[in-house]
């Protein structure tokens, strides 16, 4: 079962997703595992990561995966409930990995990595809650690289939402269910 949680910055999406994982893990008598995609690219980001870790507490197992997410997802075991936080940071990491390449090469790289990720997600056989930012609600950004990033975030979110069993949009801390397959009728 894949539950996709979307929201803007500081919308409460990660907190909501964490609560969903903990509730589901408790209900199924499984462990909660946090798959982190963030990298501390500067001091402030390092502080944010430490704050997230502190807020979660010690009950979570941690797997760090800034780039090779498709590979990691093929190795998930059914004894855990996983939280993947977040796809937009993973996509940013992918773009940064090829930031000196041409726009065409960047696009090819992003599409290849998204295709690999979608193939892995389609074969996931355990409970996975995925967090992503909904960044396409504002104006069209200035700058070619930023527009490329926003475009691919939107396309990635569409693909994951299409594959997911359940999709929740979180805004102002309030979750709104926007997709729920018949297998996921019960809330955790």
């Amino acid at each position: 079962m894949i539950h996709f949680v979307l929201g803007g910055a500081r919308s409460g999406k990660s907190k909501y997703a964490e609560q969903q994982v903990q509730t589901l893990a408790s209900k199924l008598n499984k462990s909660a595992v946090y798959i982190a995609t963030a990298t501390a690219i500067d001091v402030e980001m390092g502080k944010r990561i430490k704050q997230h870790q502190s807020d979660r507490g010690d009950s979570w197992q941690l797997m760090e995966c800034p780039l090779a997410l498709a590979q990691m997802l093929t190795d998930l075991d059914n004894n855990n409930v996983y939280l993947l936080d977040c796809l937009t940071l993973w996509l940013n990491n992918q773009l940064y990995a090829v930031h000196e390449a041409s726009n065409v090469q960047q696009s090819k790289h992003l599409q290849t990595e998204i295709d690999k990720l979608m193939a892995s997600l389609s074969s996931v056989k355990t409970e996975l809650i995925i967090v992503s930012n909904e960044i396409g609600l504002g104006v069209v950004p200035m700058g070619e690289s930023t527009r490329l990033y926003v475009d691919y975030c939107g396309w990635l979110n569409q693909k994951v939402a299409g594959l997911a069993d359940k999709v929740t949009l979180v805004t102002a801390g309030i979750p709104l269910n926007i997709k729920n397959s018949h297998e996921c009728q019960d809330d955790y």
Side-chain angles (χ1 to χ4, degrees):
M1 189 275 308
I2 295 176
H3 180 177
F4 189 39
V5 178
L6 290 161
R10 297 291 178 244
S11 64
K13 66 189 174 301
S14 291
K15 182 178 179 183
Y16 170 78
E18 289 170 7
Q19 291 168 343
Q20 296 298 296
V21 168
Q22 288 179 314
T23 300
L24 187 56
S26 177
K27 179 180 177 180
L28 299 175
N29 198 29
K30 295 183 177 186
S31 297
V33 178
Y34 194 102
I35 302 171
T37 61
T39 55
I41 56 173
D42 57 35
V43 173
E44 188 271 340
M45 188 61 167
K47 288 179 182 177
R48 282 180 181 245
I49 291 169
K50 286 187 188 309
Q51 186 63 52
H52 267 279
Q53 291 169 338
S54 175
D55 290 348
R56 281 195 309 270
D58 296 332
S59 63
W60 291 79
Q61 296 176 36
L62 175 64
M63 300 170 75
E64 295 184 22
C65 190
L67 288 170
L69 196 51
Q71 289 174 276
M72 176 180 274
L73 292 175
T74 62
D75 296 329
L76 299 184
D77 90 41
N78 204 23
N79 296 318
N80 302 307
V81 177
Y82 296 90
L83 172 60
L84 167 54
D85 195 359
C86 85
L87 284 185
T88 44
L89 288 175
W90 170 80
L91 191 67
N92 182 68
N93 295 340
Q94 292 296 338
L95 186 57
Y96 187 74
V98 293
H99 72 280
E100 293 183 8
S102 72
N103 216 6
V104 170
Q105 291 168 319
Q106 290 174 340
S107 291
K108 277 185 170 181
H109 175 75
L110 293 178
Q111 191 60 57
T112 298
E113 292 304 315
I114 289 171
D115 290 346
K116 289 193 294 191
L117 178 66
M118 294 310 298
S120 292
L121 284 174
S122 68
S123 66
V124 166
K125 302 291 186 227
T126 191
E127 290 78 22
L128 173 63
I129 297 179
I130 302 170
V131 175
S132 189
N133 286 283
E134 181 54 77
I135 65 170
L137 296 174
V139 298
V140 176
M142 295 185 69
E144 189 174 5
S145 293
T146 307
R147 285 190 300 275
L148 179 75
Y149 176 72
V150 170
D151 287 349
Y152 275 93
C153 282
W155 294 326
L156 174 60
N157 285 347
Q158 288 181 49
K159 288 181 178 194
V160 175
L163 181 70
D165 301 292
K166 183 174 182 176
V167 180
T168 303
L169 176 66
V170 180
T171 187
I174 300 170
L176 175 63
N177 182 24
I178 56 176
K179 179 183 176 184
N180 202 1
S181 72
H182 63 281
E183 295 92 21
C184 298
Q185 292 299 321
D186 295 331
D187 281 339
Y188 317 127

